Amino acid sequence: MPGTRKAKLVAKETIANVQQPSTRRRDASQTSSTEADEGDLMPPPPRQKRKVHHSKTSAGKPLFELLISTRADMQSVAQDWVEVYKNDRDTGLLQMFQLFIQSSGCRGHIDEEMQANMEFAEIIRKMTEEFDEESADYPLIMADRNYKKLRANLADFIRHVIQQCQHSFVYDGYLVDNISSFLTGLTDSQVRAFRHTSTLLTMKLMTALVDVAVSVEQAKENARRQYESEKSKHQSKKAGERLNALQHKKQELDQNHTELLNMLTFIFRGVFVFRYRDVVPDIRSISINELGLWICKLPSLYLEDSYLKYLGWTLYDRVSDVRLTCVKAISSLYELEDGYENKLELFTHRFKDRIVEMTLDKDYEVAIAAVKLILVITKNNSNVMSLRDAENVYELVFSSNRGVAQAAADFLNFKMIDGPEGEESDAPSRGKKSGANEQNPNYAKLKTVVQFFHESELHEHATYLVDSLWDINPMLKDWKAMTELLLDESATDEALTQDQESRLIDIMSCCVHQAATGEYPPGRGAAHRKLTGKEQKQARDDKYDMTEHFIEALPTLLSKFGSEKENINHLLKIATHFDLDVYTKSRKEKHLHHLLNMLRDLVEKQSDQSTLQACADVFDYFCNDQYSTFAKVDLAKSSLVDSLITKYKDAWLLCIEEGDSSDEAIYSLYSATKKLHSFSAIHAVHATTIIDIWESVMRTLKKASKVPDEIVVSMISMGTNMLLWMLKSMDNKSPDKSELKSLKKKSTSFMKVLQELLLTANAMTLCETFVTVCDLLVVFSPQIAVLYPALEPLVYEANEDLQRQLCSFLTEYIFTADDNDDTTDDNDKIDEMHNKRRRLAAFAKLVTCNIVPINNAIEIFKNYVKFYNDYGDIIKYTLTKCREISKVNTAQTLAMSLAKLYEEVAEDNGGSIDSRNEKFGVIRDLARRFTLTFGLDQVKNREAVAALHKQGIGFALRKQAGDELGVPPNLSFLDVLCEFVNKLIKQDRKVVGMYLDKHMANLPPHRGDEWAPLNNYRALLVNDDDTRSIASTSVSRPRGRRQGARTPANRQAGPLASTAIKARQAPPQEDDVASVSCSMSVLSTGSGQGSDAGGRLGASILSEHGDATLISPSRARPKLTMRLPAPSELLIDGAEGADESDLENFLME
C-alpha cells in the first residue's frame, strides 16, 4: 500500500514510544523539527510508576458481563465507571483494561500489582501467553447470542465515557493517555483477537474524541464571536471583567482544541496508518468506515488529500466487504454541505476511473454502491464524468442484477430523462392538431427513452429497460402519452421515425406486462416470486387503468401498424393482460366486437407463424368461462376455426389428392396448414371433422418425400395436437372402449409413421420428428397406467430400433462441431443452439423419467467434457437423475461411455492408443469429471464404483478374435480405470483385484512395456496405503501446515537447495523400484455458470439448473512415483480380508 517515507518514520517512532512509555516524553523532545512541524505532534505525558492502591472495585458486575448483557444501558454503565474513575483513577483504568482483555477472549487477569509495576508491553506479552490457542474464535466474531451485542455495546460504552468526561478527565493527561497507549500496544499484537478488538475500540475512541473536537470548535467559534462583539462595543459600554473572562475562555478552548488534535494525531499515526492495511478484512473495514466518519464530522481537519488518499487506495482492496465500506464512506463525503467541493477535486480526478471500473465489480453490492456514488458525484458536479464514463453506466440498465440495473436507471433518469440533458430537449411540437398536448412533459421523456433504447442496439431486452426504470419514473404508466405519440400523423421533425415507433411499441408492451403482473424479467429476482399484498393491489389497479385505456386504443393501433409483424405481435401481447370485466362494467362490448373482427382479419391476411400464434394466444386468453364475454368470444373462435378447416380441406384436396404441384397450390396448402396448426393447440376440432383431418394428416406424412418440409412439419405438429385433444377429452377413470381403441390405433399408426420419417426425412423434418417422438413417448409412457389404470392400453414403449434411431440422431445433429462460418449471423447461431438444447432436453426426459434404459445416455455422457459449454447443465442434471434411478446402472453406463470414447479415439489414431498419446488425455479428462459424481462417501457408492470397475475390466481385457495369446487391444483402458481406484474402499479393492486375477489367468505372461497398464492398475489395487497418499496429495493438504511451508527436515537446506540435495541422493535400483506415472487429479473448483448461449433447457422436466464443479483439463498435473509390489505381492489371498460374499459375489459375476 502506498505511503510516504516521512509518515512511516513518524509511525515507527510512535510505536516505539508506546512500547517504552517511560521514555516517551524524552524521545519526543528529541524529535527533529521537521517531524514536529509536520503535525505539531505533542505526545501524551509519560506513564509514571505508581504505588499500589488497594481499593475495592465497584460492587456491581465486571464491565465485560455488563456489556454482553442485552438489557444493559450503556449510558448508565459508563456513568458508574466514571464515578469509579473519579474516586480512584487507577482502579477505573484497571477495570477498563480488564474489559479490553476479556472482550478479546483472553482468560488472563490484570491485577493491581501488574498495573503498578509492569509496562504496557509487558502486560500485553503476559496476556498473550495466557491466551487460549485451542480455538480461533473470540467474542467479536462469534455467532453466540451472548455476544451478538458486544460490538455495539463496546462502541456505545466508549462513546458515553468520552462524552461524560469531555469537560473534565479528557484533558487530565491521564485517562485518554493510558487508554490510547494500552490499546495501541494491543493493536500491534500478533494475536488476531487482540488486534481486532483493540482496533475497534481505538477507532471508536477516536470517533468519540472527534465528536468532542467538533463541540470544542463550535464553542471556540461562539466564544470568538462573543469576544469580538464585546470588544467592538463603545468604551463606555465595555465590561472589563466580561472581556477578560471571554479572553480566558477563548484561550482555554484553544488549549483544549490543541490537546485534542494532539490526541487524534497520535492515535491516527500510531494505529490507523498500520491497521487500515491489516490482513484481517474486518479490521480494514472498521478503519476505513471510521475515517469516513471523521472526515464528515470534522472536515476542517480531515478533508485533506493526506487523509483522502487512504480511501482512494482502499478502493483496490481484494475483499468486497472492504471495498463496499470504502465506497459508502466516499459517498458520504460528496453529500457534505457546500464549501468543500474544491477539496475533493483532486481526489475525484485521481480515482474517478477506478470508481467507474467498480460499477462492474463481481460483488453486486459493491457495483450498486459504485453506481450510486457516481450519481452523487454527478449531482455535485455535472461536468466530472465524461460521456464515455456515463455510457458505461447507462449500459448497466440491462444488467441481470436488478439492484445494479435500478441504480444505473436512477443515473440515466437524472442525466438524460429528468436531468439537464432531458430538459434541453423540447417537448415535441405537433402542429395545431396536438397543441393542447404539447404541455405534457412525458412526451420528451418518452422520446428520450426511445432514442436511448434505439441507440443501445439491445432491441430484444426492452423488458429489462422497463423493469429498471419502473420504480423510478412514473412516465412508464402514461398510456395516453404513448398512444398519442404513436398515433401522431404530423410530418414535423419532432415526429417519431418508423424505427422509433417500433421501439416505443416494444417498450409499451413491456410496460403493460409489468403493470399487469408485477413480475420481474428472467434472471432478476426469484423465479417464482410471490407478490406482497401491497404489490398485488397495485397490480390490480394498474391493470384496470391499462385495460380501460387500451380497450379503445388497441384496435386503432392495430389498424395503423398492422403491416409489421413485430409491431402486431407486441400489440397483441397487450390484449393478453386485459381485465376482461372492464368490457361489461364499462359497457364497451362494441370494442370487443371490433377487436375480434380485427383478429379474424389478421388471421386471414397474415401467414407468419409468430403472428398467427399471437392471435391464437389472444383467443385462448379471452375464452375464459369465468367472464361474461366467453360466449361471444367462443362463438367467434369456432367460426374462425371452421373457416380455417374449410380452406385447409380445399387446399389439401387440390394439392395432395389431385396432385396439383403448382406454386400457388403448394402455398395455399402451406398457409392453410400453418393457420389450422396454430389454432389446433387451443381449439379441439369438432368430432364430425376429426376423421377427415386425421386421414389427411396421415396420408400427407406417408407422402412426405413429395411434400415440402414446411408442410410436413406443420402436419406433424397438428397431428400431435389432435392426439392430445383426444386424450384430454377421454374419461380417465372409465373411458369409452371404442374411443380408447380408436386412440390406441391412431397413436400407434402415428408413431410408426414418425419412426419411418426418422430414417428417410430431411434435416428440417427430422428435427421436428425427433422432438415429437420424444414428447409422445413421455405422454404415452408406462407412467400413464400408474396414474390412470384404465388407460393402460394406450401405453407405447420404444423398441430397440427406435432407441437406436434416437441415439443416432444425437450423434448426427446434436453433438457436432459448429462450422466456423463468418457469414452466419450471430442471432442465427444462438437460435440454432437453442434448438439443439431443446432437442437434447427432449431426449434427456426419456432417460430421466426412466422411459428408456439408462444405457441410452452413453452418447450424452460421452460428450460431457467436449460439449460442456453448450450442454453442461443438461448433461449434469441428466446424470444426477440417472443416479437417483439406479447408481449401479449409471456407473455401468459411465464405463461404457468411456469405452466408446476410447474406441473412437483409438480408431482415429489408427486402431490403437496408449496412455502416452496426447489424445488419451481426452479420455482421462472425462474420467476425472466422472469421479466427481461419486462424491466423498465411498460406502454409499461402493456398489456403483465396483460395477464400473467390473465393466471396465471386461472391456479392457477383451481379446481380439483370432489372437488369443496376444496383448488385448484395449489394455490401455486400464489406465482410465486408475482414476476410479481411490473411490473403492479397502475391502472392495481386494474383491476387484480377485476378479482381475481370474481374468489374468487366461492371459499370456505379462512382461514388457505393453503390459504396463495392467501392472499399474494391479499395483493400485494392491498398494492401498500408496493410493491413499496419492489421492490425499491430489485433493487436499494437511490442515496443520500452510501451503508451501518448509518441514523441519528441509528447513536448513533452504528453498533453493532442495533440487541439489535430491540430485546427490543415490538413484533407485531398477530391480526394486519402477517408476509408475500416475497423473492424479488436481482439482480446480469454482462456480460453473453453464452456457449462456443455451438459455433454459426448453423442457419442463429439466427446468432445474445446477452449478457445475469445473476441472481444468489443460492444467498440468504432477507426476508421482510409486513403488511397484514384489511378484509375491501380486497375488491376493482370498482369506486375507476379502470375503467372497462381498458385494454379492461381486455383483453376481
Side-chain angles (χ1 to χ4, degrees), residues 865-866 898 901 905 918-927:
V865 173
K866 184 177 181 181
L898 291 168
L901 181 60
V905 174
E918 294 180 359
K919 297 181 179 179
F920 195 82
V922 177
I923 311 172
R924 197 186 298 275
D925 290 339
L926 181 61

Side-chain angles (χ1 to χ4, degrees), residues 138-141 150-152 154-155 187 192-207 267-268 271-295 310-311 314 317 319-326 329:
Y138 48 94
L140 211 60
I141 64 172
L150 178 61
R151 182 186 293 248
L154 283 172
T187 59
R192 176 174 296 189
F194 280 153
R195 201 169 65 253
H196 192 176
T197 307
S198 60
T199 300
L200 172 66
L201 291 165
T202 307
M203 296 297 102
K204 295 300 180 181
L205 172 64
M206 188 168 175
T207 302
I267 297 175
F268 186 87
V271 178
F272 179 86
V273 294
F274 298 102
R275 298 283 72 81
Y276 89 98
R277 51 183 178 177
D278 196 280
V279 295
V280 180
D282 192 48
I283 294 179
R284 302 198 298 271
S285 295
I286 292 172
S287 303
I288 292 301
N289 181 67
E290 298 304 314
L291 176 60
L293 294 177
W294 305 336
I295 298 175
Y310 297 107
L311 294 175
T314 311
D317 197 280
V319 178
S320 59
D321 288 340
V322 182
R323 296 195 302 272
L324 178 61
T325 302
C326 182

Side-chain angles (χ1 to χ4, degrees), residues 238-278:
K238 284 184 180 180
E241 294 181 0
R242 175 173 172 77
L243 193 62
N244 293 334
L246 290 174
Q247 177 69 17
H248 178 73
K249 181 180 180 180
K250 183 174 175 295
Q251 292 176 354
E252 182 181 358
L253 290 173
D254 289 339
Q255 183 180 358
N256 292 344
H257 188 259
T258 303
E259 291 184 16
L260 285 171
L261 294 184
N262 287 338
M263 297 175 192
L264 294 174
T265 306
F266 171 77
I267 297 175
F268 186 87
R269 294 182 178 178
V271 178
F272 179 86
V273 294
F274 298 102
R275 298 283 72 81
Y276 89 98
R277 51 183 178 177
D278 196 280

